[in-house]
Every structure is written in structure tokens, then in C-alpha cells.
Amino acid sequence: MAKKTITIERNQFGIRYKQCCASCGLKKYKYDGTRLCSLNNKEVKALKVCKKWQLCEGLKNAGRKSGVVRDIVTKEVVF
């Protein structure tokens, strides 16, 4: 069962995130942009979390230096 508790955690790079259904790697997106839980096909709520919660890939990598910013015209690396 999902419970209405939300905790603030930190990833391996020290970036804070809310541990809830919205930050779970098991969520999936419908064509209209709404999020669904892939376990039970219900709409994802930002205040719930279950025992099968997993950190999503984007939050795992948040704070890691990867990629570059390029100028849109010259394609030179800006940062």
C-alpha cells in the first residue's frame, strides 16, 4: 500500500530530492504527459511512496558533470 509520507533525501552527488512516486524510476508517462505507476497503472501522486520505490535515472545523475553546452550557431563549447 502507498503511504502519504514524503522524505527529503540526497543522491550520491549531494543533490536533494523528494522521495515519492514522482521521483520513482518505475513511473511511466502517458501520451498527454501524466505520470502512471508501472506497477499498478494508477496516476502518480507526489505525496506517496511504496516499498518498491527506486530512484529514477535522472535523479541518480543529477549533479554529475556530463555533457557540454554548445553555441546554437557555431557549435563551439560554451561551458
Side-chain angles (χ1 to χ4, degrees), residues 29-75:
Y29 293 94
K30 285 177 40 178
Y31 65 92
D32 61 355
T34 56
R35 295 177 291 217
L36 295 174
C37 178
S38 61
L39 299 175
N40 57 21
N41 259 355
K42 292 185 180 179
E43 190 174 331
V44 165
K45 300 291 183 187
L47 297 175
K48 295 183 179 177
V49 67
C50 72
K51 293 180 181 177
K52 301 206 182 237
W53 182 90
Q54 297 176 7
L55 184 61
C56 71
E57 201 64 34
L59 287 174
K60 283 181 187 175
N61 295 328
R64 190 175 94 196
K65 295 180 181 179
S66 63
V68 294
V69 177
R70 294 183 184 272
D71 183 275
I72 197 165
V73 177
T74 63
K75 305 298 183 202

Side-chain angles (χ1 to χ4, degrees), residues 11 13 15-18 23 55-62:
N11 71 359
F13 303 104
I15 304 297
R16 292 169 47 135
Y17 65 90
K18 295 178 183 175
S23 62
L55 184 61
C56 71
E57 201 64 34
L59 287 174
K60 283 181 187 175
N61 295 328

